[in-house]
Amino acid sequence: MLPVYFFLAVMGNLLGTRSEYLDQIEGIEPRVARMQGLIMEEGALRTSLADISTVVSDHVYPSSSTAEAVAASLQAEARRILADSGLEVTNSQVLRPRKRDQFDYIAVKVVARGTLAQLDQSLAELSLFRPVLFVEALDTFPNRRRRKQEQETQVLTVSMQLLSLRSVL
């Protein structure tokens, strides 16, 4: 009787262990299938990643550039774009970079004078600039006209704060 009891105890233990192993296998199977799917799609994933990297590099300054170099470049380009549009740049100032999770926010404040048509053209040119420039703030003030200038086009003083992103990753 003791050998039968011993045999049944060992068989019960083996069946319990087998059940645990089957549960573990059922838990692993979806993960293995997911990994096999990723392996099969590896080429497409690499292509998509390369496309995204191209889009990102077109919209933000790379991390290889220092924040100071980006700010100086941004200031020079903003002055050039506004001057090419006919605005007279009277002042520009690099603002302190703001650090965020994945980006540094590089800002430049520019003050210029010109007509509404020149302002419109400069904003259109800024929208085409790459890496992307955001107009964070825009204030316009009409300049006072003198009696002799009543017939001439209204001149505005424009103060704008431009922002661009620099990747920190």
Side-chain angles (χ1 to χ4, degrees):
M1 189 78 154
L2 190 57
V4 172
Y5 173 74
F6 181 70
F7 176 75
L8 290 176
V10 168
M11 286 303 288
N13 192 9
L14 287 175
L15 289 174
T17 304
R18 178 181 180 272
S19 174
E20 289 174 12
Y21 286 143
L22 287 176
D23 288 343
Q24 288 178 359
I25 290 171
E26 288 175 5
I28 291 174
E29 283 178 344
R31 287 187 260 164
V32 170
R34 189 174 21 236
M35 291 302 285
Q36 288 173 337
L38 287 173
I39 290 170
M40 289 188 319
E41 297 296 323
E42 180 182 9
L45 290 172
R46 288 191 188 275
T47 303
S48 295
L49 183 60
D51 292 345
I52 289 171
S53 295
T54 302
V55 169
V56 167
S57 68
D58 190 39
H59 287 79
V60 300
Y61 285 94
S63 60
S64 60
S65 302
T66 65
E68 293 79 17
V70 169
S73 171
L74 180 61
Q75 182 181 29
E77 289 297 326
R79 290 181 72 97
R80 182 191 60 78
I81 290 170
L82 295 178
D84 288 350
S85 298
L87 291 172
E88 175 191 342
V89 178
T90 59
N91 189 16
S92 66
Q93 175 184 5
V94 173
L95 302 176
R96 176 178 289 157
R98 292 172 279 169
K99 303 201 181 294
R100 298 293 188 262
D101 294 331
Q102 298 174 358
F103 299 103
D104 284 345
Y105 289 25
I106 311 292
V108 173
K109 185 173 183 174
V110 182
V111 179
R113 291 182 55 218
T115 65
L116 188 58
Q118 292 167 335
L119 174 61
D120 187 42
Q121 182 177 349
S122 67
L123 290 174
E125 290 295 322
L126 287 171
S127 71
L128 299 175
F129 185 77
R130 294 293 181 258
V132 174
L133 282 176
F134 299 100
V135 178
E136 194 172 27
L138 177 67
D139 297 317
T140 59
F141 308 99
N143 289 351
R144 293 185 140 209
R145 291 185 186 181
R146 295 191 176 111
R147 292 189 189 264
K148 295 177 186 176
Q149 296 176 331
E150 298 252 350
Q151 304 298 336
E152 294 182 25
T153 305
Q154 175 68 54
V155 176
L156 304 171
T157 297
V158 179
S159 173
M160 63 175 72
Q161 187 168 320
L162 304 173
L163 173 80
S164 193
L165 303 175
R166 183 186 78 89
S167 175
V168 294
L169 298 178

